[in-house]
Amino acid sequence: LADRGIVCVDEFDKMSEADRVAIHEAMEQQTVTIAKAGIHASLNARCSVLAAANPVYGQYDRTRRIQDNIGLPDSLLSRFDLLFVVLDQLDPDSDRRIASHVIRGHRYKSAHGRPGNDSDYDDDDDDESDTDIGGGSSKNTSRPPTIWQRSRYESLSTDQNSGSASSTQQSEDVLQHDFLRKYLHFAKTRIKPVLTEEARECIASRYAEMRSRQDERTLPVTARSLETVIRLATAHAKARLSPIVEADPDCAAAMDILSFALYHENNDADAQQLKEKEHAPPTPELEEQMTAGNDIGGSSKRKRSEDAQEGVASTDAVTLTTRIWNELRAADGEKAMDEVCTNVTDRTLVETAINQMVEQRKVMSDEEGGMVYLV
């Protein structure tokens, strides 16, 4: 039934053993074999699978591996391209957005009088009702066709954050459902991108890098992961309506998604933070340091210049995060905070990088003992 489409499975961890055996064939060979009443048939099941499962302990345990928390066999987990862990974190802003979304669903009523009809596509029905079947329209006859529609997040954000920056960002128009469905159908059926030589080299090098980074705390990186990168890069090229798969941005976007799923790394966010930090205005403390630095002799300037050249690779947040990760892996997952990146003179940068990794759930820090642990 889901051939050429998508199938969504909830409570995936509560499947019986017979169903798990049957879904192995569907996910590996994209076919379903039926042998009933003397009929032997093989049906196509060329679809994407989106599954949701609960942790075996009721709550996700960060001290255990992902495989131990999910409770599914590795042979079945390896057939999924991406695996995302959704944690219930205590964040007031996130909790407020979730509560507002649920409450907004009860502000509207469907035709049957039931609450919860909060679809962004109800405006399409209103537009269709304005047009008569015979071809004439009762109103809006001069309005040109458009692919945009008003988002209902506009009214919510205006009520809560009138005049704020977040209200301006959320009040942008969204694409209509019909146009988006036609666009995706066109991209899937008409666009057949091929890999370029540069894209092949990029995928091969990044795959070898992922293989060297895997450990017991992450999912195993196998040849199926290589196929995952190819599928993600091809899908990104189709979304751009491009006939070729390029190293940048297709392969880069695919590797960012896979890195986030495997190592919980958000390269786009790290790069954006680094860019904002570079273009941020100097603080009064930095201005005082720059003023004091101008009064020092030439020998001190040369020494600072040499130190800056030696530590230029260790002063940005992205490089520091990678170095801290590699040092912790080499030290069996734990290391004293004072022994991390000892060649970096500014320890504030190291502490800031460790705090960012703690927020991203990559490491845990023990401030009393002065230790850093890999998650």
Side-chain angles (χ1 to χ4, degrees):
L1 294 177
D3 187 33
R4 297 289 187 180
I6 182 173
V7 57
C8 301
V9 184
D10 196 9
E11 304 292 346
F12 195 71
D13 55 309
K14 297 178 178 58
M15 294 177 59
S16 62
E17 292 296 332
D19 294 335
R20 289 180 182 177
V21 173
I23 203 173
H24 270 281
E25 178 190 359
M27 297 185 65
E28 178 65 21
Q29 303 182 15
Q30 295 186 338
T31 58
V32 175
T33 303
I34 298 177
K36 289 185 178 180
I39 300 176
H40 296 270
S42 180
L43 304 179
N44 290 326
R46 298 160 296 182
C47 62
S48 302
V49 179
L50 178 63
N54 296 319
V56 293
Y57 305 102
Q59 189 174 4
Y60 191 84
D61 189 358
R62 295 187 179 92
T63 61
R64 296 178 178 268
R65 299 186 310 163
I66 297 179
Q67 298 91 324
D68 299 335
N69 278 279
I70 297 177
L72 293 175
D74 294 343
S75 59
L76 186 58
L77 286 178
S78 62
R79 284 171 167 78
F80 286 95
D81 290 339
L82 301 172
L83 183 62
F84 298 100
V85 179
V86 182
L87 300 176
D88 185 13
Q89 300 178 355
L90 300 178
D91 186 5
D93 296 335
S94 178
D95 295 339
R96 184 175 183 83
R97 287 195 299 268
I98 295 174
S100 301
H101 178 76
V102 175
I103 295 173
R104 186 173 66 254
H106 292 269
R107 293 173 58 184
Y108 304 93
K109 289 186 177 180
S110 62
H112 303 286
R114 298 177 181 177
N117 185 18
D118 182 24
S119 173
D120 285 339
Y121 316 123
D122 292 343
D123 296 337
D124 296 343
D125 300 335
D126 298 339
D127 296 342
E128 293 176 0
S129 62
D130 295 340
T131 306
D132 296 337
I133 299 178
S137 58
S138 57
K139 55 182 178 180
N140 297 331
T141 55
S142 60
R143 185 177 60 181
T146 178
I147 63 175
W148 301 97
Q149 68 179 11
R150 180 178 56 85
S151 174
R152 284 190 172 172
Y153 286 96
E154 180 179 0
S155 59
L156 178 67
S157 59
T158 304
D159 295 340
Q160 295 181 352
N161 305 317
S162 57
S164 62
S166 60
S167 172
T168 305
Q169 295 176 359
Q170 293 181 353
S171 62
E172 296 179 356
D173 293 340
V174 296
L175 292 172
Q176 289 186 2
H177 184 216
D178 291 339
F179 170 78
L180 191 59
R181 182 170 55 188
K182 294 176 182 178
Y183 183 88
L184 294 178
H185 177 73
F186 179 85
K188 290 174 63 176
T189 57
R190 300 293 185 87
I191 307 300
K192 305 296 181 182
V194 295
L195 288 171
T196 60
E197 188 64 29
E198 183 181 359
R200 296 191 189 98
E201 292 294 333
C202 178
I203 292 176
S205 60
R206 296 297 296 272
Y207 173 73
E209 180 182 351
M210 286 194 306
R211 290 276 295 179
S212 62
R213 291 187 58 185
Q214 70 172 350
D215 54 15
E216 67 277 1
R217 292 181 176 84
T218 61
L219 291 174
V221 180
T222 61
R224 288 174 180 165
S225 303
L226 184 61
E227 297 176 355
T228 296
V229 178
I230 297 175
R231 281 192 289 266
L232 291 175
T234 304
H236 193 274
K238 287 183 177 181
R240 299 189 301 111
L241 303 181
S242 174
I244 59 174
V245 179
E246 301 178 359
D248 189 18
D250 299 323
C251 295
M255 293 306 306
D256 290 343
I257 297 175
L258 191 59
S259 298
F260 182 79
L262 290 176
Y263 313 110
H264 307 286
E265 294 179 352
N266 192 352
N267 298 330
D268 293 340
D270 295 341
Q272 182 67 21
Q273 292 177 1
L274 180 61
K275 184 177 180 180
E276 292 176 357
K277 184 178 179 181
E278 292 177 352
H279 295 281
T283 58
E285 293 79 3
L286 183 59
E287 291 180 353
E288 293 178 0
Q289 295 177 3
M290 294 173 62
T291 305
N294 292 332
D295 299 334
I296 301 177
S299 60
S300 300
K301 290 183 180 180
R302 286 192 300 270
K303 186 177 183 300
R304 286 200 311 272
S305 177
E306 294 175 357
D307 294 339
Q309 292 178 359
E310 293 177 357
V312 65
S314 61
T315 54
D316 63 52
V318 179
T319 307
L320 269 180
T321 301
T322 305
R323 290 185 57 189
I324 293 172
W325 178 276
N326 294 332
E327 290 187 8
L328 290 176
R329 284 186 56 200
D332 295 334
E334 59 180 25
K335 197 172 185 180
M337 191 175 298
D338 296 337
E339 298 177 359
V340 176
C341 297
T342 55
N343 58 342
V344 179
T345 57
D346 191 355
R347 304 304 299 176
T348 305
L349 296 177
V350 179
E351 295 177 359
T352 303
I354 293 176
N355 293 333
Q356 290 179 357
M357 297 177 69
V358 171
E359 294 176 357
Q360 298 172 1
R361 307 297 182 184
K362 298 179 183 178
V363 301
M364 294 188 301
S365 63
D366 183 8
E367 297 181 357
E368 296 180 358
M371 300 293 295
V372 183
Y373 307 93
L374 275 178
V375 176

